[in-house]
Amino acid sequence: MALRIMNTLGRRMQKFVPLKKKTVRMYTCGPTVWDYAHIGNFRTYVFQDILRRYLEYKGYKVIQVTNITDVDDKTIRQSKATGVSLREYTKKYEEAYFEDIAALNIEKAERYPRATEHINEMVALVKRLVRKGVAYEAEGSVYFDISKFKTYGKLSGMRLEQLKSGARIDSDEYGKDEARDFVLWKGWRPEDGEVFWETAVGKGRPGWHIECSAMSMKYLGATFDIHSGGEDLIFPHHENEIAQSEAATGKRFVRYWLHSGMLLVGGRKMAKSLGNFFTLRDLLSKGHDPLAVRYLLMSAHYRAPLNFTEEALGDATKAIEALRETLRRVKTFTATTKRDNVELRKLLSREQLEFERAMDDDLNMPRALAALHRITRAVNRAIDQCKISGEDAKATHRLVSRLDKVLGIFAEEMKPDFLPPEAELLIRERDEARAKRDWATADRLREQLSAMGIVVEDTPTGTVWKRRSR
Ligand code: AMP
Ligand code: ZN
């Protein structure tokens, strides 16, 4: 079945067909490395990871590019305030970003270009826009003339009469009600200190929007398949990216625009400027499990707003623990019936289909997760009723591993986990002791196993073991 997604451009559901048959070219706006990212940012990055993983699940090869914004007002200001070079300052937060995405089990993009390493490409693009008469110089900076791009506003749905023609804005971030000619190249000012480049468009530094146009087109071509970010980037960032790129190339820039909803706190967008944020580190230092954070962030539909509370994180932790426990039971059941459970096997195929249908329907995660929960409920029931054969257990494990290629929440449970031979021997001796009602020996063996980090559980059909969670 085909994947259908909501394209922000045109605001309609569309069948996803990449330009090249089996390859998807995707650009995702990355972090500004001026501070630790907050979990609102990670909601968007987790969504992009699910998108990537589902495309891979469907057999596409994904070429993903994520930019690192390592020069802007904030990075310059902070590096000056702390008295270190811009590079030294941003390096720390860039590393933190990579640590955080690893903790959240986010797959790495193919490329992470840094803005500061692509100044030539940006300057070339600015020059091209000036040559075409859609950009102009004023007071040492270069601006894009939005009145020259006839379809300006097509992504955000803004009407042209709202535009203040001729008025300019130097800030990279501004509201929809103040659409203006935006800055492509910022002329040097004393507060920029050491941070500047001497280029053909003057001494200064790039604006934020031009960065993404230059780097995406460099690595993915003038037209590519997917561009995504949080919905707060629709205007002005993505609107401006379209204007610059399409004015320069005369070609369509991006085929599918995908935007995720905001993570809220008490109904308001989680944002550094509002001070209502949690970094991933904040949560991990309180003992939270990063994969529970991942589970929480992906559990709502990606376009819907999601309100963050620690209580919701607690619920996500319980949900993920229950899922893990089921998988452990499946993997460690040592005594099973020989008869296959036909009903269970049918349910597995049915729910796999349902999972795929849900994901094909604009990545409907709540529906996909519901299928996963039905699988684990059925499996638990089968284990409780001793109606699970070795083959059933393997089929379950195979299916959940496959679904986890998309979900990415079972890192530990998916690792092949073999019982060490000496532990297997102890379990067998213990079973024999129990059969002889020699409880003292059975208890002693249980303690020996426990010292090896293996916990045994007696069930009506035999012994189940698991590793003590760390
Ligand atoms: P920034 O570093 O501000 O450019 O943001 C990086 C990414 O996080 C962008 O895709 C933003 O749209 C996204 N983002 C920022 N705040 C939130 C939030 N509260 N919820 C979801 N995504 C967000
Ligand atoms: Zn961007």
Side-chain angles (χ1 to χ4, degrees), residues 41 48 177 181 201 215 231 282 299 315 327 341 451 455:
N41 303 130
Q48 290 161 341
D177 50 345
D181 291 352
V201 291
M215 299 200 288
E231 66 183 16
D282 293 335
S299 60
D315 291 344
L327 272 184
N341 184 333
V455 181

Side-chain angles (χ1 to χ4, degrees), residues 55-84:
L55 290 165
E56 289 173 337
Y57 178 99
K58 289 186 84 69
Y60 294 112
K61 174 175 162 30
V62 177
I63 302 176
Q64 182 186 359
V65 176
T66 300
N67 63 306
I68 304 281
T69 303
D70 59 351
V71 55
D72 79 327
D73 293 343
K74 288 182 281 209
T75 45
I76 294 174
R77 195 179 56 230
Q78 294 296 110
S79 68
K80 271 181 83 179
T82 46
V84 295

Side-chain angles (χ1 to χ4, degrees), residues 29-32 34 38-45 48 74 173 208 228-233 260-264 269-271:
C29 290
T32 305
W34 72 286
H38 59 65
I39 57 165
N41 303 130
F42 288 117
R43 178 183 188 197
T44 293
Y45 303 144
Q48 290 161 341
K74 288 182 281 209
E173 293 173 76
W208 172 37
S228 87
E231 66 183 16
D232 58 335
L233 297 192
S260 52
M262 292 292 104
L263 187 69
L264 312 176
K269 175 184 168 185
M270 181 178 285

Side-chain angles (χ1 to χ4, degrees), residues 117-279:
E117 290 168 3
H118 293 78
I119 301 295
N120 289 343
E121 287 82 351
M122 296 181 219
V123 168
L125 194 54
V126 174
K127 273 168 66 186
R128 205 162 154 193
L129 292 169
V130 173
R131 242 186 350 256
K132 292 208 163 188
V134 294
Y136 59 91
E137 193 259 309
E139 293 166 34
S141 293
V142 184
Y143 298 86
F144 185 92
D145 180 351
I146 55 176
S147 70
K148 297 270 171 60
F149 187 67
K150 292 300 166 225
T151 54
Y152 192 82
K154 66 182 168 185
L155 184 72
S156 56
M158 181 190 318
R159 272 172 282 124
L160 271 172
E161 40 294 10
Q162 286 170 261
L163 307 181
K164 297 194 179 70
S165 180
R168 300 189 302 264
I169 191 144
D170 287 323
S171 158
D172 289 320
E173 293 173 76
Y174 50 94
K176 234 174 153 177
D177 50 345
E178 46 181 351
R180 294 164 190 219
D181 291 352
F182 59 89
V183 69
L184 297 168
W185 185 261
K186 300 185 181 196
W188 181 84
R189 298 210 187 116
E191 60 266 32
D192 294 342
E194 299 295 298
V195 182
F196 62 83
W197 286 265
E198 291 277 10
T199 73
V201 291
K203 172 179 173 178
R205 61 187 166 99
W208 172 37
H209 315 298
I210 198 73
E211 167 191 334
C212 285
S213 287
M215 299 200 288
S216 62
M217 292 198 288
K218 169 166 181 170
Y219 295 109
L220 300 172
T223 304
F224 55 91
D225 299 302
I226 297 179
H227 195 315
S228 87
E231 66 183 16
D232 58 335
L233 297 192
I234 297 174
F235 190 87
H237 187 50
H238 290 162
E239 193 72 68
N240 291 351
E241 278 192 47
I242 293 179
Q244 303 158 158
S245 310
E246 298 192 351
T249 66
K251 294 182 188 150
R252 179 167 183 171
F253 177 43
V254 168
R255 302 174 67 243
Y256 301 90
W257 285 92
L258 271 74
H259 292 99
S260 52
M262 292 292 104
L263 187 69
L264 312 176
V265 181
R268 295 182 76 189
K269 175 184 168 185
M270 181 178 285
K272 278 275 154 78
S273 56
L274 294 175
N276 61 350
F277 61 91
F278 290 92
T279 64

Side-chain angles (χ1 to χ4, degrees), residues 8-106:
T8 310
L9 186 63
R11 297 279 195 288
R12 55 195 179 95
M13 287 283 272
Q14 280 183 328
K15 184 170 157 184
F16 176 71
V17 185
L19 267 178
K20 297 232 170 77
K21 225 174 166 194
K22 278 281 151 206
T23 307
V24 178
R25 291 182 157 71
M26 166 159 109
Y27 186 85
T28 47
C29 290
T32 305
V33 283
W34 72 286
D35 199 351
Y36 297 114
H38 59 65
I39 57 165
N41 303 130
F42 288 117
R43 178 183 188 197
T44 293
Y45 303 144
V46 166
F47 149 66
Q48 290 161 341
D49 183 52
I50 296 281
L51 169 63
R52 176 195 167 96
R53 285 166 173 264
Y54 191 59
L55 290 165
E56 289 173 337
Y57 178 99
K58 289 186 84 69
Y60 294 112
K61 174 175 162 30
V62 177
I63 302 176
Q64 182 186 359
V65 176
T66 300
N67 63 306
I68 304 281
T69 303
D70 59 351
V71 55
D72 79 327
D73 293 343
K74 288 182 281 209
T75 45
I76 294 174
R77 195 179 56 230
Q78 294 296 110
S79 68
K80 271 181 83 179
T82 46
V84 295
S85 71
L86 185 66
R87 178 69 198 125
E88 203 181 320
Y89 180 79
T90 56
K91 191 167 176 275
K92 173 177 167 193
Y93 294 104
E94 186 182 303
E95 282 168 6
Y97 162 77
F98 284 112
E99 280 166 24
D100 288 352
I101 63 168
L104 289 168
N105 203 17
I106 290 175

